[in-house]
Structures are given as structure tokens and as C-alpha cells.
Amino acid sequence: KNELKTKNIDVKIQDSTQLISIIEKTESAKGVVPPSLYAELGFTYYQQNSFSEAVRYFELEKTHYPESLVLMNHMIERTKKP
């Protein structure tokens, strides 16, 4: 079981690296980050117990995509009660 858990953590870290890369490339090209990418990265940080980073990306999702307000507020509240 420990081996499986280690693999899952490695996948999450790799996923966050990929998401960060996509977001940075898009932002540096003055492009629009697609819906849910900020939220996905925030959730990845949430799963890693990096709650301040999670909130940062949930807030970005909320700012860029107001239709995500209810869900992002819920996720931000969850970071306060892990």
C-alpha cells in the first residue's frame, strides 16, 4: 500500500507541475487561462495539504470565472476545516 500511495503523490506532483507550466505559458502570452485550470491546481495543492496555495488558486478561479463562485467558496471553507 505504501508503494501505491507514493505513486499517487508522485502523479499529483507531476500534475501540478504540468498545470503550473500551462498556466504560466498562457499568462505570459497574455492569453486566457481556460476554465477550471486554476481550480484544478488549487485542488492539487489542497490534496497535498498546502492550503494557502490552494486558496490562492481557488481565488484566481473565482476572479476569472465568477460562475465558479459557489464551488470555490465551498473549497476555500474546506481548507479551514481539513
Side-chain angles (χ1 to χ4, degrees):
K1 286 192 173 189
N2 287 340
E3 185 177 324
L4 179 62
K5 186 170 183 163
T6 302
K7 286 181 183 178
N8 286 341
I9 291 170
D10 290 344
V11 169
K12 289 176 192 169
I13 291 169
Q14 184 180 12
D15 288 348
S16 66
T17 303
Q18 291 169 341
L19 287 168
I20 291 167
S21 176
I22 293 167
I23 289 169
E24 286 177 348
K25 285 178 185 175
T26 304
E27 289 175 340
S28 69
K30 306 271 188 233
V32 176
V33 174
S36 80
L37 282 189
Y38 291 124
E40 187 68 32
L41 183 54
F43 187 68
T44 300
Y45 282 124
Y46 175 83
Q47 290 177 313
Q48 296 170 3
N49 296 325
S50 297
F51 299 123
S52 63
E53 282 297 300
V55 170
R56 176 177 168 223
Y57 286 98
F58 293 152
E59 290 288 351
L60 282 168
E61 183 75 19
K62 215 166 59 165
T63 300
H64 288 84
Y65 298 99
E67 62 273 17
S68 70
L69 180 79
V70 172
L71 177 59
M72 292 302 99
N73 283 342
H74 174 74
M75 293 306 297
I76 290 166
E77 283 301 311
R78 286 187 66 176
T79 65
K80 297 173 185 174
K81 302 179 234 172

